[in-house]
Amino acid sequence: MKQPMIPLTQLNLTNRFLFDEVMDDAQTHQDVLSIILGYDIPLLEQNESEKEHRVSPLARSVRMDVFAIDENDTAYNTEMQPKKRNDIQKRSRYYQSLMDTSLLEPGITDYNLLKESYIILIMTSDLLGLKKYVYTFKAQCQEAQEYLLKDGATRIFLNTKGKNRDEVSEELVDFLRYVESSTDETVASIKSDRIHRIHQRVCKVRTNEQVGVRYMQAWEERIYEKEEAREEGMYIHAISLVKSNLSKGVSVSDIAKFMDESEDSIEKIAAVIKSHPEADDEELYSLIYPSEEN
């Protein structure tokens, strides 16, 4: 059963599609960063939504939500993370490494040329369970904790469900509340000019016909990818069953009857399994059902 599509006009900023579209505007990204960091950020000259970082053609790539550099040559990557993940801390480490790689031109050996950088993840879950709105990380010397490693890298994890209102600005609390409920009603109770500007941008994006088309296309693509992954999982499970039964000495004919499949299809799977005895189920799948890209 397909998941119903939430209308674009009803999305909150926790939706990554809406977040990327809204933050593609430099003024909006500047307002968000200024709220988070607590001081005015110089005008961002250019934003890049869903910037792809890849170390090499063979390396795993990752798409960062919104990437920008300010007038002081500081780099920022801001990401909306609406789902609780158990790998988020190491994910941020991977982001940092890819970001750093992209900030140095090939052949440059002076690492002092690396820009100051911020990895910012806006989360709807509590990273450490301490009920704080903000968790800021910089490398620290364990033996002399008053010393920070001056590598210029800062990672910030925001929590929309924080409780320590007295330790952060009212504007940040209001912004994180607005992220989860991006409505006229929420904005009506907020004084911040920045958040009102952000809401104006949200409303503009929600009613843009071209954005609506992109949203529909993105939704259909995600549904297709999920169905494709589900189908792949079913095939891999079938391969595993065939391999298990072959190892027990069950004939191809009996396996076909048990699985209610044609003997020819089971024979095809069995032949690849026998010719690649060291391959795991996913490798066997790629050999039996090679993608069109290959």
PDB file of all heavy atoms in Angstrom, residues 165 169-179 186 189-192 195:
ATOM      1  N   ARG A 165      15.145  26.186  28.237  1.00  0.00           N
ATOM      2  CA  ARG A 165      14.843  27.499  27.656  1.00  0.00           C
ATOM      3  C   ARG A 165      15.706  28.608  28.241  1.00  0.00           C
ATOM      4  O   ARG A 165      16.024  29.584  27.546  1.00  0.00           O
ATOM      5  CB  ARG A 165      13.368  27.843  27.864  1.00  0.00           C
ATOM      6  CG  ARG A 165      12.388  26.878  27.231  1.00  0.00           C
ATOM      7  CD  ARG A 165      10.956  27.280  27.562  1.00  0.00           C
ATOM      8  NE  ARG A 165      10.621  28.537  26.921  1.00  0.00           N
ATOM      9  CZ  ARG A 165       9.943  28.629  25.770  1.00  0.00           C
ATOM     10  NH1 ARG A 165       9.553  27.524  25.145  1.00  0.00           N
ATOM     11  NH2 ARG A 165       9.658  29.804  25.253  1.00  0.00           N
ATOM     12  N   SER A 169      18.610  31.310  23.485  1.00  0.00           N
ATOM     13  CA  SER A 169      17.813  32.496  23.164  1.00  0.00           C
ATOM     14  C   SER A 169      16.347  32.126  22.917  1.00  0.00           C
ATOM     15  O   SER A 169      16.030  31.018  22.459  1.00  0.00           O
ATOM     16  CB  SER A 169      18.374  33.202  21.927  1.00  0.00           C
ATOM     17  OG  SER A 169      18.140  32.415  20.767  1.00  0.00           O
ATOM     18  N   GLU A 170      15.464  33.076  23.202  1.00  0.00           N
ATOM     19  CA  GLU A 170      14.037  32.880  22.926  1.00  0.00           C
ATOM     20  C   GLU A 170      13.808  32.669  21.432  1.00  0.00           C
ATOM     21  O   GLU A 170      12.959  31.881  21.023  1.00  0.00           O
ATOM     22  CB  GLU A 170      13.246  34.102  23.409  1.00  0.00           C
ATOM     23  CG  GLU A 170      11.751  34.011  23.159  1.00  0.00           C
ATOM     24  CD  GLU A 170      11.002  35.267  23.595  1.00  0.00           C
ATOM     25  OE1 GLU A 170      11.649  36.189  24.117  1.00  0.00           O
ATOM     26  OE2 GLU A 170       9.774  35.318  23.391  1.00  0.00           O
ATOM     27  N   GLU A 171      14.609  33.356  20.607  1.00  0.00           N
ATOM     28  CA  GLU A 171      14.467  33.247  19.159  1.00  0.00           C
ATOM     29  C   GLU A 171      14.778  31.828  18.687  1.00  0.00           C
ATOM     30  O   GLU A 171      14.091  31.299  17.808  1.00  0.00           O
ATOM     31  CB  GLU A 171      15.392  34.251  18.467  1.00  0.00           C
ATOM     32  CG  GLU A 171      15.168  34.346  16.967  1.00  0.00           C
ATOM     33  CD  GLU A 171      16.028  35.395  16.315  1.00  0.00           C
ATOM     34  OE1 GLU A 171      17.197  35.569  16.756  1.00  0.00           O
ATOM     35  OE2 GLU A 171      15.581  36.030  15.352  1.00  0.00           O
ATOM     36  N   LEU A 172      15.795  31.199  19.262  1.00  0.00           N
ATOM     37  CA  LEU A 172      16.134  29.830  18.874  1.00  0.00           C
ATOM     38  C   LEU A 172      15.020  28.866  19.277  1.00  0.00           C
ATOM     39  O   LEU A 172      14.639  27.988  18.497  1.00  0.00           O
ATOM     40  CB  LEU A 172      17.455  29.397  19.511  1.00  0.00           C
ATOM     41  CG  LEU A 172      17.877  27.952  19.212  1.00  0.00           C
ATOM     42  CD1 LEU A 172      18.050  27.737  17.708  1.00  0.00           C
ATOM     43  CD2 LEU A 172      19.163  27.599  19.947  1.00  0.00           C
ATOM     44  N   VAL A 173      14.492  29.025  20.480  1.00  0.00           N
ATOM     45  CA  VAL A 173      13.383  28.176  20.934  1.00  0.00           C
ATOM     46  C   VAL A 173      12.187  28.330  19.995  1.00  0.00           C
ATOM     47  O   VAL A 173      11.569  27.339  19.576  1.00  0.00           O
ATOM     48  CB  VAL A 173      12.974  28.522  22.378  1.00  0.00           C
ATOM     49  CG1 VAL A 173      11.717  27.753  22.788  1.00  0.00           C
ATOM     50  CG2 VAL A 173      14.114  28.202  23.345  1.00  0.00           C
ATOM     51  N   ASP A 174      11.875  29.576  19.635  1.00  0.00           N
ATOM     52  CA  ASP A 174      10.748  29.835  18.739  1.00  0.00           C
ATOM     53  C   ASP A 174      10.995  29.241  17.351  1.00  0.00           C
ATOM     54  O   ASP A 174      10.080  28.692  16.721  1.00  0.00           O
ATOM     55  CB  ASP A 174      10.499  31.338  18.621  1.00  0.00           C
ATOM     56  CG  ASP A 174       9.841  31.926  19.859  1.00  0.00           C
ATOM     57  OD1 ASP A 174       9.252  31.148  20.634  1.00  0.00           O
ATOM     58  OD2 ASP A 174       9.929  33.155  20.057  1.00  0.00           O
ATOM     59  N   PHE A 175      12.242  29.350  16.877  1.00  0.00           N
ATOM     60  CA  PHE A 175      12.558  28.799  15.562  1.00  0.00           C
ATOM     61  C   PHE A 175      12.384  27.285  15.545  1.00  0.00           C
ATOM     62  O   PHE A 175      11.789  26.726  14.614  1.00  0.00           O
ATOM     63  CB  PHE A 175      13.997  29.158  15.161  1.00  0.00           C
ATOM     64  CG  PHE A 175      14.469  28.419  13.939  1.00  0.00           C
ATOM     65  CD1 PHE A 175      13.930  28.680  12.694  1.00  0.00           C
ATOM     66  CD2 PHE A 175      15.455  27.433  14.040  1.00  0.00           C
ATOM     67  CE1 PHE A 175      14.358  27.988  11.562  1.00  0.00           C
ATOM     68  CE2 PHE A 175      15.888  26.736  12.925  1.00  0.00           C
ATOM     69  CZ  PHE A 175      15.335  27.017  11.679  1.00  0.00           C
ATOM     70  N   LEU A 176      12.879  26.604  16.581  1.00  0.00           N
ATOM     71  CA  LEU A 176      12.768  25.153  16.626  1.00  0.00           C
ATOM     72  C   LEU A 176      11.314  24.715  16.791  1.00  0.00           C
ATOM     73  O   LEU A 176      10.913  23.665  16.279  1.00  0.00           O
ATOM     74  CB  LEU A 176      13.639  24.596  17.751  1.00  0.00           C
ATOM     75  CG  LEU A 176      15.145  24.769  17.529  1.00  0.00           C
ATOM     76  CD1 LEU A 176      15.937  24.288  18.741  1.00  0.00           C
ATOM     77  CD2 LEU A 176      15.605  24.019  16.284  1.00  0.00           C
ATOM     78  N   ARG A 177      10.529  25.532  17.475  1.00  0.00           N
ATOM     79  CA  ARG A 177       9.088  25.255  17.566  1.00  0.00           C
ATOM     80  C   ARG A 177       8.439  25.438  16.192  1.00  0.00           C
ATOM     81  O   ARG A 177       7.583  24.634  15.790  1.00  0.00           O
ATOM     82  CB  ARG A 177       8.459  26.204  18.595  1.00  0.00           C
ATOM     83  CG  ARG A 177       6.956  26.058  18.763  1.00  0.00           C
ATOM     84  CD  ARG A 177       6.491  26.703  20.064  1.00  0.00           C
ATOM     85  NE  ARG A 177       6.821  28.122  20.134  1.00  0.00           N
ATOM     86  CZ  ARG A 177       5.984  29.093  19.765  1.00  0.00           C
ATOM     87  NH1 ARG A 177       4.782  28.788  19.289  1.00  0.00           N
ATOM     88  NH2 ARG A 177       6.335  30.362  19.877  1.00  0.00           N
ATOM     89  N   TYR A 178       8.865  26.473  15.488  1.00  0.00           N
ATOM     90  CA  TYR A 178       8.325  26.733  14.147  1.00  0.00           C
ATOM     91  C   TYR A 178       8.709  25.631  13.159  1.00  0.00           C
ATOM     92  O   TYR A 178       7.924  25.274  12.285  1.00  0.00           O
ATOM     93  CB  TYR A 178       8.825  28.086  13.631  1.00  0.00           C
ATOM     94  CG  TYR A 178       8.421  28.358  12.201  1.00  0.00           C
ATOM     95  CD1 TYR A 178       7.118  28.707  11.894  1.00  0.00           C
ATOM     96  CD2 TYR A 178       9.347  28.215  11.169  1.00  0.00           C
ATOM     97  CE1 TYR A 178       6.732  28.935  10.573  1.00  0.00           C
ATOM     98  CE2 TYR A 178       8.978  28.442   9.853  1.00  0.00           C
ATOM     99  CZ  TYR A 178       7.663  28.794   9.563  1.00  0.00           C
ATOM    100  OH  TYR A 178       7.282  28.997   8.259  1.00  0.00           O
ATOM    101  N   VAL A 179       9.910  25.076  13.293  1.00  0.00           N
ATOM    102  CA  VAL A 179      10.358  23.988  12.418  1.00  0.00           C
ATOM    103  C   VAL A 179       9.355  22.834  12.440  1.00  0.00           C
ATOM    104  O   VAL A 179       9.013  22.261  11.403  1.00  0.00           O
ATOM    105  CB  VAL A 179      11.761  23.486  12.840  1.00  0.00           C
ATOM    106  CG1 VAL A 179      12.063  22.128  12.226  1.00  0.00           C
ATOM    107  CG2 VAL A 179      12.827  24.490  12.411  1.00  0.00           C
ATOM    108  N   THR A 186       1.442  29.438  14.463  1.00  0.00           N
ATOM    109  CA  THR A 186       2.688  29.433  15.230  1.00  0.00           C
ATOM    110  C   THR A 186       3.402  30.773  15.107  1.00  0.00           C
ATOM    111  O   THR A 186       3.861  31.348  16.103  1.00  0.00           O
ATOM    112  CB  THR A 186       3.628  28.308  14.737  1.00  0.00           C
ATOM    113  OG1 THR A 186       2.971  27.046  14.892  1.00  0.00           O
ATOM    114  CG2 THR A 186       4.918  28.293  15.536  1.00  0.00           C
ATOM    115  N   SER A 189       2.425  33.997  17.194  1.00  0.00           N
ATOM    116  CA  SER A 189       2.850  34.154  18.591  1.00  0.00           C
ATOM    117  C   SER A 189       4.348  34.428  18.724  1.00  0.00           C
ATOM    118  O   SER A 189       4.887  34.443  19.825  1.00  0.00           O
ATOM    119  CB  SER A 189       2.496  32.891  19.382  1.00  0.00           C
ATOM    120  OG  SER A 189       3.216  31.765  18.880  1.00  0.00           O
ATOM    121  N   ILE A 190       5.028  34.652  17.593  1.00  0.00           N
ATOM    122  CA  ILE A 190       6.486  34.843  17.587  1.00  0.00           C
ATOM    123  C   ILE A 190       6.824  36.284  17.227  1.00  0.00           C
ATOM    124  O   ILE A 190       6.244  36.864  16.303  1.00  0.00           O
ATOM    125  CB  ILE A 190       7.141  33.858  16.589  1.00  0.00           C
ATOM    126  CG1 ILE A 190       6.988  32.422  17.100  1.00  0.00           C
ATOM    127  CG2 ILE A 190       8.617  34.189  16.383  1.00  0.00           C
ATOM    128  CD1 ILE A 190       7.491  31.362  16.132  1.00  0.00           C
ATOM    129  N   LYS A 191       7.769  36.877  17.931  1.00  0.00           N
ATOM    130  CA  LYS A 191       8.153  38.274  17.713  1.00  0.00           C
ATOM    131  C   LYS A 191       9.291  38.430  16.695  1.00  0.00           C
ATOM    132  O   LYS A 191       9.456  39.495  16.109  1.00  0.00           O
ATOM    133  CB  LYS A 191       8.586  38.902  19.042  1.00  0.00           C
ATOM    134  CG  LYS A 191       7.500  38.900  20.113  1.00  0.00           C
ATOM    135  CD  LYS A 191       8.038  39.464  21.418  1.00  0.00           C
ATOM    136  CE  LYS A 191       6.998  39.417  22.525  1.00  0.00           C
ATOM    137  NZ  LYS A 191       7.542  39.916  23.822  1.00  0.00           N
ATOM    138  N   SER A 192      10.093  37.392  16.503  1.00  0.00           N
ATOM    139  CA  SER A 192      11.316  37.491  15.689  1.00  0.00           C
ATOM    140  C   SER A 192      11.039  37.876  14.235  1.00  0.00           C
ATOM    141  O   SER A 192      10.278  37.198  13.538  1.00  0.00           O
ATOM    142  CB  SER A 192      12.060  36.157  15.726  1.00  0.00           C
ATOM    143  OG  SER A 192      13.053  36.093  14.725  1.00  0.00           O
ATOM    144  N   ILE A 195      12.251  35.019  11.878  1.00  0.00           N
ATOM    145  CA  ILE A 195      11.336  33.885  11.718  1.00  0.00           C
ATOM    146  C   ILE A 195      10.151  34.272  10.836  1.00  0.00           C
ATOM    147  O   ILE A 195       9.676  33.465  10.036  1.00  0.00           O
ATOM    148  CB  ILE A 195      10.862  33.363  13.095  1.00  0.00           C
ATOM    149  CG1 ILE A 195      12.071  32.829  13.878  1.00  0.00           C
ATOM    150  CG2 ILE A 195       9.823  32.249  12.926  1.00  0.00           C
ATOM    151  CD1 ILE A 195      11.760  32.390  15.295  1.00  0.00           C
TER     152      ILE A 195
END
